[in-house]
Amino acid sequence: MKPARFDYIRAGDIAEAHAALADHGNDARIIAGGQTLMPMLSMRLVRPKIVVDIMHVAALHGIAASGADIRIGAGVRQAELLAWPGLAEHLPLLHAALPWVGHAQTRSRGTVCGSAAHADPSAEIPLCLLALDATLELSSRRGRRRVTAADFFTGMMTTARADNELIEAVRIPKKPAGAGYAFNEFGRRHGDFAIVACAAVASGDTTRLAVGGVADTPALHELGALGGKELDDALDAFAWALDARDDLHATARYRRELVRRMGRATIEEARACRD
Amino acid sequence: MPRLSAAERHTVRFTLNGRAVEAQAEPRMLLTDFLRHELGATGTHVGCEHGVCGACTVEIDGVPARSCLTLAVQADGATIRTVEGLAPEPGRLSVLQEAFRRHHALQCGFCTAGILMSLDSYLRSQPDPSEQDLREFLGGHICRCTGYVPIMAAAMDAAKRLRESPSDV
Amino acid sequence: MSSVANSTQWCGQSVERVEDAALLTGRGRFIDDLGVKPGTLHAAILRSPHAHARLAAIRTDAARALPGVAAVLTGADIRTLSSSLVVGVKAPVECWPIATDRVRYVGEPVAVVVAASRYVAEDALDLIDIDYEPLPAIVDPVAALDPAAPVLHDGLGANLASERAFRYGDPEQAFAAAAHRIAVTIRYPRNSCTPMETYGLVAEYDAAEDAYDVLANFMGPFSLHAVMARALKVPGNRFRLRTPPDSGGSFGVKQGVFPYIVLIGVAARVTGRPVKWIEDRLEHLAASVSATNRVTTLEAAVDADGRVRALAWDQLEDVGAHIRAPEPATLYRMHGNLTGAYDIHHVSVRNRVVLTNKMPTGLNRGFGGPQVYYALERLMQRIAVELELDPVDVIRRNLIPSGRFPYRTATGALLDSGDYVKAFDIALKDGAFASLRERQAKARAEGRLYGIGLTAAVEPSVSNMGYITTALTPQERRKAGPKNGAQATATVSLDPLGGVTVNVASVPQGQGHRTVLAQIVADDLGLMPADIRVVTDFDSGRDAWSIASGNYSSRFAAAVGGAAKLASGRIKARLARMAAAQLNVGVDEIEFAAGKVRARGNPDNALPFTRLAATSHWSPGLVPVENQALRETAFWSPPELTAPTEGDEINSSLCHGFIFDFCGVEIDRVTGAARIDTYVTMHDCGTILHPGMVAGQVTGGFAHAVGAALYEEFAYGDDGSFLTGTFADYLVPTAMEIPAPLILHLETPSPFTPLGAKGVGEGNCMSTPVCLANAVADALDLDAIDLPLTPAKLAGHIHGAERAPPQRPAAARTGKGRALHGVGEARVDAPPETVWRMLLDPGTLAAIIPGAHGVAKVSDTHFRADVTLGVGPVTGRYKADIRLSDLDAPRAVTLIGVVTGALGDARGAGRITLTADAGGTRVTYDYDAEIGGKVASIGGRLLDGAAKVVIRQFFAALVRHTGGAKPGFLARLFGRGA
C-alpha cells in the first residue's frame, strides 16, 4: 500500500502552483494538509504525475475579515480555524461543526479549502459552506473567478474547479445580526464521515437547511417560516428529492428518516437561538 | 525549491527529537517509512496507512499528526518529535509514560507510541481536561488490547500529576 | 542480584510489567522493527478482485522486466515447489496459499512479486495482466447447500465439507415429554479482532541444507508447524520457525500468517535471497482470517417453570473458500460446552460445515464461543419471554447447582470448579441489579426505549488438542489414532552467576507473560521478580515445544504458568537437596526466601541463592549428580484432556471459568443508536495471578465484544464483493464508543492446574455480544435480532412505515451489495429509426461512451473499447466489452456491458426502449449494474457515484449526439443505488 511514483514540487508562490497546474492539468494534484489525498495516493486510487505542495505559499495563509466576509486562505488548517478567536462570533455554524471534522490529530494538518476541494458528500465543511452561501476564489494563469458553494459542488467528489485552477480561498459571510445556527450529525462512530449531517441557518422569516451524507453532494433547502405539519411535509418532500444513498452503514430509507427528524430538530434549534 | 523528480532519491532534512537528521527519499516515500527504515526510528508504528488508527501519530511542528498521511519530502525543514524523544533522560520515564506503566495502559504496545505522542501534546495545551474532552481526543486512536479503560485512567492520572508538579516532564 | 529481604507473595499482585519500559520508549522489537540481512528482498502480493473466477491467463512479462524486480511467482510456481496444506476433514480437497486454477474469494493471492523494495514490488503488481473468467459466486451458507449452487471445489462435488450428528442422553424422549418447545434461529455474522500489527515475516532458504528459516509473528498453535513443514516438503527439523520478541496483538488472528509463511518461503527459495513481507491493512482486512459466520437453530425442551430438559442444536458453519487448518475447529472447540452453564442432560447436535466465496476462517478471540452463546442465551431470554417468567429466575433455575463440581456435561466436558449460583447471586447484589430494574422502569415511564440483558456463560480455556477430531467419526478416529492432551512446556535454567532464566514457548502478543512468569518463579525460589529473566521469543530449533505450544485458547496462566512452576519446582528440589547437605539440615527443613536458601528454624544458617545456584557450573565434582541444578524443562499435559470417546463425548478444554453479565441499554428513538448505560461482568477465572492484567483482559475482551455487537462486520455483497476493506468501513470502536464495565470476581481455584488459574481473556467475547442483544431485544420487544446491532437496523423497528413519496418512486431496493438500479427517460428530436442506427454504429458509440478512446467493432452486435472512467480525482483506464441483444428494431435493444480495470470491474445490462413521439423519439431506459473489485472494497460509495455518473453521461451524450439535448434533461433523470 505505497503510492505510485510522482514528481513533487514545493511551490514558493501562487505563480509556481499555477504553472504546475497549467502544465499538467488533471495529472497534477495539489497537496495542502494531505489528510484525504494521502490515503488515495497510498491506495493508488489517484496517480498524479506531479504533486504540488502549496503549504509554503505565504499568500495562501491567514484568516481575515474582509468586508462582510471572512476570508480563509487555502493554507489554513482546520485546527487553526477552530482556534481562531473570532470563530464563535462570526462563524458560529463552523464553530459548532468543526469539532466533527475527523479527529484532532487530522484537523491539525487538514485544511478548510482542502476539504472543499475534495468535495466528499459526507464531509462537514462543504455542507457548512453551502448552508452559509460561501464563495470559493479560484485562480489560474488565465485569471480569477468566484464560484458560490451551490455551484461549486457538482457531484460525488466532483467540483466546478477546472483542472488548471487553484482554490486560493473561501469567503464566508459573517453572521448577520439576529441569525441563529445549529449543526447536528449522526455517524457510526465519532469522527467518521456523517451518515446524515444537518446544518440550519435561521434569520427572520427565512430558514435554510443543508444536509450532507445523504446524496452525492450536500443539498440545500429553503424552508421559509414553515412550521408544524407544513414543515414536516416540506422536509418529507426534501428527503424524497435527495436521491438518498443506500450503503453498508445505512439504508436510504434511514437517511431520509434522519433528514426528516434530525432536520426538524436542527431547524428548531437554529430558530431558537436567533438573537 | 526545485522540482523533485519521481524516480530519484532526494535529501530530506529535518529536526528529529532535537537533533538534525537527513536521509534520502523518493518523493512518494511516506514519512512513516522514512522515519522507520531510513532513520531507524522504529518506535513509530504503522497500523493502517490510511489515517484511521493513529498508531503512527508523531508531533510535526508542535502538533500531533499522522505520519502515514505525510510525505517525507513535505517534512523537509520541519521539527518532528517521536516516542523516542519522550523520556526526559535514558532510564527515566516521563510522567505520562510512568502513568501508562502504573495503570497497565498498554498490552502489546504497538499502538502506544502514537497515543503517547497525542496525549503528550494534548496535556501540554490542556492541562486540566474534562474526562469527556480527553475521551474525544483519545477517539483519534485505535487500541485493540486494553479496551481504553486503563488508558483513560493513566491519562487522567498523568494530567493530575503534571498539574501538581508542573516542572515535571 | 538485587534480592532483599521479603516475605511477599508476588503472584496476586499487580506488579509493574517488565515489558513496558521498552514499549513506552519506542524500543519494542516487533518484526518490522528488526533489521534484515543485506540483500533482503521485499514481497508484495497481487490479490483477486473477484469472488469466484477461473484464471484463464496470467501475463507477468512486463512486471518481470521492471528494474528492481527479482521474481514474479504464480500458483504454478508454488505448486512446483510445495504441496497443498493439509486439510482437517476427510475430503478430496486441496488448500493452497495462492490461487492455482481459480480464485475463490476477493483478496485471494494470485501472484507474488519479489523486488528490491516494497514500493517497487507494488509498481510491478500494476504491470501484471490477468484474464479472469468470472464464475457465479456463493455467499450465503444456506444457499451454498442448494444442489444448484455453484460448487467451489470440484473434488467435493458440493459445498458441504463435513456433516456429523450427535446424540447425548435421550433428547427425543425429553422433547416428547416437554411442556414447551421453544426455538431460536440466528445468523452470526463475520468479524475479526484485527490486531494493530498486521502479519509479517522474513523467510530464508538454505539450499545447501535444504532447510527453511522463517522469522514470523506467528502465534501458534504449533501443530501448524507440521502443516507448514509438510507443505514446504521438508522434515520438521529443517523448518526452523522463530518469532520476534514483541508482537502487536493477535487474539487468535496471527495463527493465519501460516499460509504466507509457506508462500514467502517458496519465494525465498526461488530467489535465493531472504524475502520479507509485511501485510498491509487492506490485505489484512480482505484476506487474513475471519471468525466463522454461522446459522444456528437451537430448540429447547422446557418445563412449565422454565427448566430446560434438552437442547437440539443445528449448526451450519461457514468457513469461507477453503477448509484451512485448523478448521473446522471453530465449530468443535465448544462441543463439550453446548449446555453452557446449565444442568441439561439431553442434547442432540447436527453440525455441518459449508464452503462459500469468502475469506477463509480461523482463530479469533472467543473461537466458537460467541456463536454458541449467541444462540443459547438468546434462547434463554426467549424462554423467559414466552413463558412470561423473569429471565433472572430462568437462568438461576437452570444453573449447575453448587457443590456439583467437577461436573461432567452431557457432551463430555469436565467443568473443573466453580460455584455458579453463588457468583450469580453476588453479581446481582454487588452489581445493583435491583436498581437497574428501577432505572429501566423510570426510563420506560418517560417513553424511552430501555432494555436489560442477561447472560451466563462458561468460558473454556486450555483446549484439548483432541477436540478437533470430534469432527471425524469414531471409525475415522480409530484409523488415524487418538489425539488428545495439550503439552505445555517451560524451561528454567541457572547461569554461572546464579541468575535464573525462564524460557517458554507461549509466544505472547502483549499479555505480559514475562511479568507473570517472573512472579511465579520468584515466589517459588524466594527471589524478586526482577531477579528472573524471562525469554519469550521463540525458536523451534532451540526451544522446548510441542504441538500445543503457542498463544491461544487462553492457555497461558493455567498451562504455561503451571509448567513454569513445575520446572522451577524441579530446580528448587535439587537446590534444596544441595543446600541440606551444606547446611546440615534435613531437606524438609530448607526454605527459599529473601534471596537466601536457609534452615527454616534457624534463618542465620543460610546460603545466598546465587551462590548455591552457581555451584553446579563451577564445582560439579562436589555435588552428587542427582542434586546438580543447571536447567530443567517441564512438559505438562493434564490427564483430564482425553481423546473423544466412542460416544463422541469430548472434554474439549481443561479449565472452565464462569461468567455472568447483565447490562442496561438505551436506544435513541431518532437515530436507533444503542447506548450502553451500564454493564456488569462477573468472572470466576480461578486463582488470579495478576489483577491488573486480568482487568486488562476483561476490558480488552469487552471492547472486542462491543465492536462485534454494535459496529464491526466483514460484509460481502451478494456477488461476493468485499465491502469493508478499510478501517473507514470496518468500524473498530474507539474510546468514544467503549464504556467501562463494572468487573466483579469470585475465585474458585481450578483443581486441575498447578496454580489454580484458568483463562480469562476470551469470556467477554462470548458473553457480551448476546448480553447486549438481549438488552436490545428487551428494549424493542423483538423476537429475533442478529448482529451487528446497527442504528439503521434498530431504527427499522422504531421508525415504522415510511410515508409514501410525493412523486414517482425510485425502484425500491435494499441490501448491502454493490447493485445499482436506475431508470430514466429523455426526448430526442429524431425519429426512432435514426436513433436506432446510431446505437448500432461504432462511431456513435465512440462518441457517447464516456471516456472512450476508440471503439472496435467485433461484430454487428459486439464492440470493444478502451475507456477512461472516474469520479473526481479517481480515474483509471478500463477495457469495455459491449454487446447488444434482444434487438427489436427500431423499438428496443438490451445493452450488456462489462468493464474491467485495475480499480475494479462492473457489469450491467440496460434495456433501451424507443417510442415515436411527435416527430421525435422518447428514449426510456432501465438498467441494473453490479460493481466489484478493489474500489468496491475500499471505497464503495465512490463507485456507486461513478457508475451513476457514467450511466448518466452515456444517455446525456446519446441525446446530445442525436441533436436533442433538452434543458433539464439531467434533472429529469433519477436513479438510485440500492
Side-chain angles (χ1 to χ4, degrees):
Chain A
M1 197 180 158
K2 309 293 182 189
R5 281 186 169 134
F6 49 77
D7 287 0
Y8 170 87
I9 185 162
R10 183 180 279 188
D13 54 35
I14 289 174
E16 235 178 322
H18 282 162
L21 289 169
D23 291 348
H24 298 282
N26 196 36
D27 287 330
R29 292 253 75 83
I30 298 289
I31 193 166
Q35 300 300 288
T36 308
L37 180 62
M38 284 300 297
M40 298 176 86
L41 288 174
S42 286
M43 293 176 192
R44 300 193 180 207
L45 291 174
V46 179
R47 294 158 170 268
K49 288 201 171 68
I50 182 167
V51 168
V52 184
D53 185 347
I54 58 166
M55 291 307 276
H56 296 264
V57 178
L60 297 177
H61 284 271
I63 304 166
S66 160
D69 295 340
I70 304 298
R71 185 179 186 278
I72 299 164
V76 174
R77 301 191 195 272
Q78 294 148 11
E80 191 182 340
L81 180 59
L82 194 50
W84 182 55
L87 188 67
E89 183 192 344
H90 296 305
L91 302 173
L93 182 64
L94 279 162
H95 185 254
L98 277 176
W100 292 85
V101 178
H103 298 279
Q105 296 86 347
T106 59
R107 294 193 294 268
S108 63
R109 300 279 292 174
T111 62
V112 176
C113 289
S115 177
H118 189 63
D120 190 293
S122 296
E124 294 82 4
I125 287 172
L127 172 68
C128 290
L129 298 185
L130 182 66
L132 294 171
D133 203 13
T135 305
L136 290 110
E137 290 184 16
L138 303 173
S139 70
S140 70
R141 263 187 184 169
R142 290 161 178 268
R144 313 176 60 81
R145 62 178 180 134
R146 291 188 180 186
V147 179
T148 62
D151 291 333
F152 185 74
F153 301 109
T154 56
M156 161 80 67
M157 300 176 74
T158 309
T159 69
R161 185 187 73 86
D163 288 343
N164 64 346
E165 284 182 313
L166 172 73
I167 301 175
E168 281 196 27
V170 60
R171 306 174 77 97
I172 311 175
K174 282 184 196 166
K175 170 186 180 298
Y181 298 81
F183 179 86
N184 282 297
E185 173 168 327
F186 184 71
R188 294 283 303 277
R189 298 172 303 181
H190 188 79
D192 283 347
F193 279 127
I195 287 177
V196 175
C198 295
V201 183
S203 185
D205 274 350
T206 67
T207 309
R208 294 158 69 88
L209 175 71
V211 303
V214 179
D216 286 350
T217 62
L220 182 71
H221 200 46
E222 300 274 358
L223 293 144
L226 294 180
K229 184 172 180 304
E230 283 179 333
L231 179 57
D232 282 338
D233 290 347
L235 284 169
D236 182 57
F238 180 42
W240 277 110
L242 280 172
D243 190 11
R245 190 164 65 231
D246 218 338
D247 64 19
L248 181 66
H249 301 297
T251 57
R253 184 251 185 282
Y254 177 81
R255 287 188 161 92
R256 285 192 295 271
E257 197 62 38
L258 257 59
V259 170
R260 296 182 190 105
R261 296 182 185 220
M262 193 195 284
R264 173 148 196 145
T266 308
I267 287 168
E268 285 169 357
E269 229 179 285
R271 287 174 177 170
C273 69
R274 279 175 294 195
D275 48 24
Chain B
M1 189 180 196
R3 176 170 174 160
L4 306 181
S5 141
E8 289 164 28
R9 287 160 65 85
H10 310 272
T11 301
V12 173
R13 299 181 180 84
F14 53 71
T15 303
L16 177 62
N17 298 323
R19 296 175 61 175
V21 295
E22 64 171 70
Q24 302 283 306
E26 283 184 17
R28 62 168 163 172
M29 181 174 270
L30 306 177
L31 180 58
T32 40
D33 288 329
F34 188 74
L35 284 168
R36 292 174 46 76
H37 300 307
E38 303 301 319
L39 297 174
T42 56
T44 299
H45 290 137
V46 178
C48 74
E49 281 185 308
H50 53 280
V52 182
C53 80
C56 68
T57 304
V58 300
E59 199 180 279
I60 304 177
D61 293 331
V63 293
R66 313 285 207 223
S67 56
C68 77
L69 298 186
T70 308
L71 297 168
V73 290
Q74 279 179 288
D76 189 71
T79 298
I80 294 179
R81 279 179 81 218
T82 63
V83 67
E84 288 92 343
L86 275 186
E89 60 190 68
R92 190 156 81 83
L93 298 179
S94 73
V95 170
L96 180 65
Q97 289 169 316
E98 277 286 4
F100 265 59
R101 182 160 72 175
R102 202 165 44 250
H103 289 272
H104 303 290
L106 66 159
Q107 288 179 29
C108 80
F110 193 81
C111 69
T112 309
I115 294 176
L116 288 172
M117 294 315 295
S118 260
L119 289 175
D120 179 76
S121 172
Y122 184 68
L123 294 181
R124 268 183 282 122
S125 66
Q126 305 288 335
D128 193 6
S130 71
E131 210 241 67
Q132 188 52 31
D133 286 350
L134 184 67
R135 187 175 286 281
E136 191 168 327
F137 183 82
L138 184 59
H141 292 270
I142 294 174
C143 167
R144 277 305 226 176
C145 293
T146 62
Y148 306 106
V149 174
I151 298 178
M152 284 296 299
M156 291 302 281
D157 185 14
K160 181 164 174 284
R161 284 172 194 251
L162 287 166
R163 283 197 303 278
E164 287 166 357
S165 311
S167 58
D168 285 357
V169 290
Chain C
M1 198 167 272
S2 60
S3 303
V4 293
N6 75 82
S7 55
T8 314
Q9 168 83 15
W10 294 108
C11 285
Q13 288 197 60
S14 291
V15 301
E16 290 187 347
R17 302 198 321 167
V18 301
E19 290 88 348
D20 288 354
L23 295 172
L24 287 164
T25 53
R27 286 167 184 79
R29 289 172 294 162
F30 299 88
I31 187 152
D32 196 31
D33 300 344
L34 306 172
V36 292
K37 273 186 172 176
T40 297
L41 298 170
H42 299 266
I45 299 172
L46 186 68
R47 294 173 181 279
S48 169
H50 296 280
H52 202 185
R54 205 175 309 284
L55 286 170
I58 306 181
R59 287 174 287 275
T60 61
D61 296 354
R64 285 176 209 272
L66 187 74
V69 172
V72 182
L73 307 177
T74 66
D77 303 301
I78 305 302
R79 280 192 92 107
T80 308
L81 293 169
S82 64
S83 52
S84 165
L85 302 168
V86 173
V87 171
V89 295
K90 300 288 176 209
V93 57
E94 293 186 329
C95 179
W96 293 90
I98 187 169
T100 55
D101 55 344
R102 54 171 144 157
V103 292
R104 294 183 176 87
Y105 63 99
V106 171
E108 182 159 26
V110 177
V112 181
V113 170
V114 183
S117 79
R118 175 67 179 239
Y119 287 80
V120 173
E122 292 194 18
D123 292 343
L125 295 186
D126 289 344
L127 300 174
I128 298 174
D129 187 20
I130 300 182
D131 292 342
Y132 292 100
E133 290 172 2
L135 298 165
I138 189 82
V139 175
D140 180 79
V142 176
L145 293 173
D146 189 321
V151 172
L152 271 75
H153 294 271
D154 294 339
L156 282 174
N159 294 317
L160 183 67
S162 163
E163 175 162 9
R164 284 220 62 199
F166 305 88
R167 184 174 171 278
Y168 305 91
D170 191 349
E172 298 84 0
Q173 161 61 25
F175 272 99
H180 303 279
R181 298 174 71 126
I182 297 172
V184 294
T185 294
I186 61 130
R187 286 176 161 265
Y188 203 86
R190 288 194 154 214
N191 50 45
S192 163
C193 290
T194 63
M196 294 310 299
E197 181 196 40
T198 56
Y199 296 165
L201 68 99
V202 185
E204 268 189 86
Y205 174 73
D206 181 343
E209 297 211 29
D210 186 26
Y212 289 91
D213 187 334
V214 178
L215 178 71
N217 55 14
F218 179 64
M219 58 151 255
F222 281 80
S223 48
L224 293 172
H225 183 278
V227 174
M228 289 182 270
R230 285 173 68 170
L232 288 167
K233 299 205 262 197
V234 291
N237 58 10
R238 287 176 194 274
F239 171 54
R240 184 172 180 181
L241 181 58
R242 296 176 293 122
T243 66
D246 292 307
S247 178
S250 176
F251 322 109
V253 175
K254 279 181 178 154
Q255 162 263 147
V257 70
F258 88 92
Y260 293 104
I261 292 175
V262 175
L263 187 62
I264 304 299
V266 173
R269 178 171 178 164
V270 168
T271 54
R273 302 258 289 273
V275 178
K276 177 174 175 175
W277 173 69
I278 302 293
E279 182 193 49
D280 70 34
R281 182 58 62 184
L282 304 189
E283 297 181 279
H284 188 84
L285 290 171
S288 52
V289 291
S290 165
T292 61
N293 55 303
R294 188 180 296 176
V295 180
T296 303
T297 295
L298 175 61
E299 186 173 28
V302 192
D303 291 348
D305 66 352
R307 183 81 171 80
V308 179
R309 294 298 172 188
L311 293 174
W313 287 89
D314 187 340
Q315 303 188 98
L316 179 61
E317 179 86 326
D318 180 353
V319 296
H322 297 283
I323 314 161
R324 190 192 277 166
E327 296 292 17
T330 311
L331 185 55
Y332 285 91
R333 190 265 179 120
M334 300 297 294
H335 198 79
N337 303 112
L338 290 175
T339 46
Y342 306 122
D343 184 30
I344 301 169
H345 299 190
H346 309 286
V347 180
S348 70
V349 185
R350 177 164 73 148
N351 279 345
R352 288 173 295 171
V353 178
V354 71
L355 292 153
T356 60
N357 292 109
K358 302 199 287 286
M359 184 195 326
T361 60
L363 273 62
N364 215 297
R365 195 175 199 169
F367 201 45
Q371 294 90 330
V372 161
Y373 286 116
Y374 199 86
L376 183 57
E377 295 302 304
R378 284 290 304 130
L379 177 68
M380 296 307 279
Q381 192 195 43
R382 292 305 306 156
I383 290 171
V385 171
E386 292 197 21
L387 303 185
E388 296 181 349
L389 301 168
D390 186 332
V392 172
D393 295 336
V394 172
I395 290 177
R396 197 173 198 283
R397 201 161 285 155
N398 282 290
L399 286 174
I400 295 165
S402 304
R404 295 272 298 279
F405 295 87
Y407 173 95
R408 182 71 72 177
T409 68
T411 49
L414 186 61
L415 307 184
D416 46 337
S417 66
D419 188 336
Y420 297 178
V421 177
K422 183 177 172 190
F424 181 83
D425 289 342
I426 291 172
L428 290 175
K429 179 170 165 291
D430 292 357
F433 186 75
S435 71
L436 177 59
R437 279 263 165 91
E438 287 166 18
R439 221 172 145 75
Q440 179 184 35
K442 182 168 175 289
R444 287 184 164 177
E446 292 167 3
R448 288 148 57 200
L449 299 168
Y450 195 105
I452 290 176
L454 302 98
T455 301
V458 165
E459 176 183 1
S461 54
V462 190
S463 57
N464 181 347
M465 294 310 279
Y467 78 77
I468 178 62
T469 62
T470 316
L472 306 177
T473 63
Q475 294 85 333
E476 287 169 332
R477 290 198 298 264
R478 275 196 297 276
K479 202 173 157 200
K483 306 280 193 303
N484 66 287
Q487 284 282 10
T489 69
T491 299
V492 176
S493 45
L494 303 175
D495 66 48
L497 292 175
V500 181
T501 300
V502 181
N503 289 70
V504 291
S506 67
V507 199
Q509 260 99 3
Q511 298 99 328
H513 292 183
R514 294 177 60 211
T515 301
V516 175
L517 291 168
Q519 287 176 284
I520 291 167
V521 175
D523 277 344
D524 203 41
L525 300 179
L527 301 172
M528 301 283 283
D531 298 334
I532 316 294
R533 191 81 201 277
V534 182
V535 178
T536 54
D537 34 322
F538 170 81
D539 181 340
S540 70
R542 290 198 173 138
D543 287 313
W545 62 281
S546 180
I547 60 163
S549 295
N551 183 14
Y552 62 95
S553 184
S554 303
R555 63 194 304 281
F556 168 74
V560 180
K565 166 91 173 154
L566 294 178
S568 171
R570 289 185 199 164
I571 286 271
K572 184 180 180 179
R574 288 171 177 267
L575 291 171
R577 292 198 294 272
M578 208 190 302
Q582 292 188 34
L583 298 175
N584 285 316
V585 295
V587 173
D588 52 355
E589 288 292 297
I590 295 293
E591 67 171 11
F592 289 67
K596 300 243 187 321
V597 185
R598 64 196 187 194
R600 187 171 291 108
N602 177 12
D604 292 338
N605 187 18
L607 290 162
F609 177 90
T610 48
R611 178 168 174 161
L612 191 70
T615 304
S616 301
H617 286 284
W618 299 102
S619 323
L622 300 181
V623 184
V625 171
E626 65 274 17
N627 291 357
Q628 286 183 15
L630 291 163
R631 182 180 182 101
E632 288 288 345
T633 296
F635 286 85
W636 178 74
S637 185
E640 293 82 7
L641 293 185
T642 49
T645 66
E646 286 291 302
D648 288 314
E649 289 138 332
I650 176 65
N651 187 20
S652 33
S653 299
L654 177 67
C655 302
H656 298 89
F658 174 71
I659 298 175
F660 173 62
D661 289 358
F662 60 87
C663 65
V665 172
E666 180 166 4
I667 318 289
D668 186 292
R669 277 193 183 274
V670 173
T671 64
R675 181 182 64 84
I676 302 169
D677 183 46
T678 177
Y679 200 100
V680 177
T681 183
M682 157 61 84
H683 286 255
D684 183 349
C685 61
T687 305
I688 292 173
L689 302 178
H690 189 295
M693 289 190 208
V694 166
Q697 287 299 313
V698 172
T699 55
F702 176 73
H704 273 136
V706 171
L710 302 181
Y711 300 98
E712 300 174 32
E713 183 183 10
F714 280 149
Y716 289 83
D718 294 340
D719 60 349
S721 56
F722 181 58
L723 307 181
T724 46
T726 73
F727 269 161
D729 282 319
Y730 188 81
L731 303 180
V732 174
T734 72
M736 288 295 282
E737 286 79 38
I738 303 292
L742 174 66
I743 303 169
L744 303 171
H745 286 290
L746 178 69
E747 290 185 57
T748 54
S750 172
F752 300 157
T753 68
L755 295 161
K758 308 180 183 189
V760 68
E762 298 181 81
N764 284 94
C765 286
M766 305 181 187
S767 61
T768 298
V770 64
C771 191
L772 294 171
N774 281 343
V776 166
D778 183 43
L780 301 180
D781 196 20
L782 303 176
D783 296 351
I785 182 77
D786 286 330
L787 301 184
L789 305 165
T790 62
K793 187 189 290 182
L794 301 188
H797 297 288
I798 303 168
H799 288 165
E802 186 172 22
R803 288 172 63 167
Q807 48 191 307
R808 186 174 157 186
R813 287 245 182 144
T814 54
K816 58 189 181 180
R818 290 265 73 85
L820 291 170
H821 178 76
V823 293
E825 63 174 46
R827 194 181 172 286
V828 174
D829 284 338
E833 291 74 15
T834 310
V835 178
W836 181 261
R837 267 199 312 279
M838 288 175 153
L839 275 174
L840 269 61
D841 170 40
T844 309
L845 286 174
I848 66 176
I849 292 174
H853 304 292
V855 174
K857 184 170 173 176
V858 182
S859 73
D860 281 351
T861 56
H862 185 189
F863 306 90
R864 288 211 182 101
D866 276 333
V867 296
T868 298
L869 300 175
V871 50
V874 182
T875 53
R877 237 181 132 103
Y878 299 82
K879 292 177 193 164
D881 187 280
I882 299 148
R883 288 169 199 270
L884 306 178
S885 69
D886 300 327
L887 282 78
D888 176 14
R891 284 183 289 274
V893 60
T894 298
L895 243 74
I896 299 165
V898 178
V899 177
T900 52
L903 293 182
D905 57 272
R907 57 201 64 249
R911 182 74 174 165
I912 300 174
T913 309
L914 311 177
T915 318
D917 176 23
T921 304
R922 177 164 302 278
V923 182
T924 57
Y925 65 89
D926 184 324
Y927 69 84
D928 284 286
E930 276 195 344
I931 297 165
K934 176 175 172 177
V935 180
S937 297
I938 60 182
R941 63 203 183 101
L942 263 181
L943 269 187
D944 293 355
K948 281 192 272 185
V949 166
V950 167
I951 292 165
R952 286 172 190 189
Q953 283 173 352
F954 176 83
F955 287 102
L958 171 65
V959 173
R960 209 167 40 240
H961 201 74
T962 54
K966 294 285 181 203
F969 167 73
L970 285 174
R972 294 211 307 278
L973 288 177
F974 55 96
R976 59 187 284 276

